[in-house]
Amino acid sequence: MENKEYLTFRLHDLQYGIEAVLVQEILPLPELTPIPEAVTDIIGILNLRGEIVPIIHLDLLQGTPVKGCNLSDYVIVMQWEDLQIGMVVHQVNEVLELNNEVIETGSSSGLFSDINTGFIAGVAKVDTGSIVLVEPKTLIREPDAVLPLIWDAQTHLDIVPSSPTSEVEEPLEQEVWQQDEELKTSKILSRFYDLYCPSSTPKERAIFRQRADALRQASESLKVTNELMPLAVIGFGNEYFGLDLKLVREFTNIGDLTPIPCCPNYIVGNINLRGEIVTLVDIRKVLNLPNTPVSVGSPAVVIQVDDIVAGLPVDRVLEMASLNSTDMTPLSGILSDFGEQYIRGTALFQEKILRVLDLPKLFTKGELVVNEQA
């Protein structure tokens, strides 16, 4: 029986899953632009590197108001046939391989009494609980109404660079256009926060806006090749590092922490991850980075390199991104303070240097020893 891979995620108290093959990228929730004419499932649109992407929320598909968006939320961008859509979630978890034997498609699942079955393909029963599987073709309930809105927004986006007919008119026309856009943008964005992030602080709104600005980069600045590297971008202090997304199992917060006696100083302790004991390894020490206290509630990235499973405490998870291999620069011998031997190369990311880590080398060349039986 053929298995399928599902990316699992959390919204409120439920675990969901979507076919992993449909997922294009994952990014922290940015500021969105609401469209008054949009169907009720869509909370706004996103300019994703020159492409207009409608963003949906499962609360609206349930027929209930959005309970609120947070700075810690993510957007899962998916491709369904010819339509690219995004979905707001609270937390992105691991990719699971499931077969039909563990999936219930009828009303026998007790979860169906609490959710709208119109966008549900089934419920998977696994060791860690129930996972509600989303039916992608039902996420946009009125595609015929959505497509014209996307085309209209894309058209406005495409005609912005068009030049005026005379040099004299250009400054005046540009000033009028800018004032008009600022007025409209102010109203739209305040409506976005009023509707979906009413408790957000000015500092949080500034971060939402910075995220949107970073995603609005011109598409012509991106080189397209067959060697795109999907990365999880993490932060240690003011430094950015990239982890091969294929080696990332999930993102989590440290819920418990059991110290391990008589271990190297980079071993922080063990955590219980839904019944699996995972050792926390602080790679900051190997990279010669300043120490940061690790405690309950701190974020961590769970990775798997061959048969080694470990949790990496981090200061923050920034986003998931695709790096073109041609944009990565080999080391020049000046990065020894960052554990140069464990860095594959560097690239520019949000006007900062991104260092791409070589996790297999870090965990298999003897520098780090993870004893999961400790």
Side-chain angles (χ1 to χ4, degrees):
M1 183 176 296
E2 182 181 359
N3 294 350
K4 286 185 179 180
E5 291 188 335
Y6 290 84
L7 174 68
T8 61
F9 59 91
R10 180 178 63 82
L11 183 68
H12 307 310
D13 296 326
L14 286 180
Q15 295 289 329
Y16 291 87
I18 188 79
E19 289 186 36
V21 69
L22 303 176
V23 178
Q24 300 292 299
E25 60 183 299
I26 304 167
L27 46 95
L29 176 65
E31 188 177 64
L32 303 177
T33 303
I35 302 180
E37 301 86 359
V39 294
T40 55
D41 305 336
I42 297 176
I43 66 173
I45 59 173
L46 171 64
N47 179 349
L48 183 59
R49 296 184 288 274
E51 296 294 327
I52 299 299
V53 179
I55 308 299
I56 64 172
H57 202 292
L58 292 183
D59 281 351
L60 297 179
L61 281 171
Q62 295 273 48
T64 61
V66 175
K67 297 178 183 177
C69 296
N70 306 302
L71 196 64
S72 57
D73 288 345
Y74 288 89
V75 171
I76 299 176
V77 180
M78 300 165 288
Q79 184 75 35
W80 173 251
E81 297 182 344
D82 296 329
L83 184 61
Q84 193 176 46
I85 59 175
M87 177 171 56
V88 177
V89 304
H90 288 336
Q91 181 177 328
V92 179
N93 295 326
E94 59 190 322
V95 174
L96 295 178
E97 192 172 283
L98 305 174
N99 60 53
N100 290 336
E101 294 180 356
V102 300
I103 299 176
E104 298 180 6
T105 56
S107 58
S108 56
S109 171
L111 287 177
F112 278 129
S113 60
D114 300 323
I115 59 179
N116 177 7
T117 59
F119 67 95
I120 299 303
V123 175
K125 299 289 188 177
V126 297
D127 293 340
T128 56
S130 299
I131 301 174
V132 180
L133 303 181
V134 176
E135 176 58 65
K137 65 183 179 182
T138 62
L139 290 178
I140 297 290
R141 290 188 288 186
E142 300 178 40
D144 293 339
V146 172
L147 287 174
L149 295 174
I150 298 175
W151 293 334
D152 183 62
Q154 190 73 54
T155 300
H156 282 82
L157 186 66
D158 293 338
I159 66 174
V160 167
S162 59
S163 57
T165 55
S166 78
E167 295 181 0
V168 176
E169 294 173 350
E170 182 175 359
L172 178 60
E173 185 168 328
Q174 178 66 23
E175 181 180 352
V176 171
W177 175 86
Q178 183 175 352
Q179 291 176 349
D180 183 56
E181 287 300 306
E182 288 177 351
L183 180 61
K184 291 189 293 184
T185 301
S186 176
K187 291 179 179 178
I188 289 174
L189 295 183
S190 62
R191 182 171 177 268
F192 167 71
Y193 292 118
D194 292 342
L195 288 174
Y196 307 118
C197 310
S199 59
S200 59
T201 65
K203 183 178 180 180
E204 290 174 331
R205 296 186 181 196
I207 296 175
F208 276 124
R209 191 166 297 114
Q210 289 171 2
R211 292 174 178 176
D213 290 341
L215 294 170
R216 202 180 293 118
Q217 57 183 301
S219 57
E220 57 267 21
S221 66
L222 301 177
K223 300 176 183 177
V224 179
T225 72
N226 294 325
E227 298 184 64
L228 289 177
M229 301 167 52
L231 299 174
V233 182
I234 61 174
F236 290 129
N238 294 322
E239 307 297 336
Y240 289 175
F241 291 85
L243 309 178
D244 187 342
L245 197 57
K246 295 191 294 266
L247 303 178
V248 174
R249 279 186 30 179
E250 66 179 280
F251 307 96
T252 188
N253 291 324
I254 300 173
D256 56 24
L257 182 58
T258 303
I260 307 174
C262 305
C263 280
N265 62 358
Y266 55 78
I267 299 293
V268 179
N270 284 338
I271 61 173
N272 188 326
L273 191 63
R274 298 185 299 279
E276 179 182 9
I277 302 302
V278 175
T279 301
L280 289 182
V281 180
D282 193 348
I283 62 174
R284 280 173 284 218
K285 301 179 186 300
V286 178
L287 298 175
N288 298 317
L289 293 168
N291 292 335
T292 300
V294 178
S295 59
V296 172
S298 296
V301 182
V302 180
I303 58 98
Q304 180 164 0
V305 178
D306 296 330
D307 59 346
I308 300 173
V309 177
L312 310 182
V314 300
D315 291 342
R316 59 198 182 282
V317 177
L318 293 161
E319 63 180 88
M320 270 48 69
S322 293
L323 173 66
N324 194 301
S325 59
T326 60
D327 293 333
M328 188 167 67
T329 304
L331 298 186
S332 59
I334 61 173
L335 298 174
S336 57
D337 288 344
F338 295 98
E340 179 179 345
Q341 60 180 317
Y342 303 115
I343 296 176
R344 298 170 58 183
T346 64
L348 191 64
F349 176 80
Q350 296 184 5
E351 300 182 351
K352 291 180 67 71
I353 295 297
L354 172 71
R355 297 170 175 85
V356 181
L357 288 175
D358 190 338
L359 285 178
K361 185 175 181 180
L362 189 64
F363 278 89
T364 60
K365 296 301 181 180
E367 186 74 27
L368 293 176
V369 177
V370 181
N371 183 5
E372 298 184 45
Q373 303 303 317

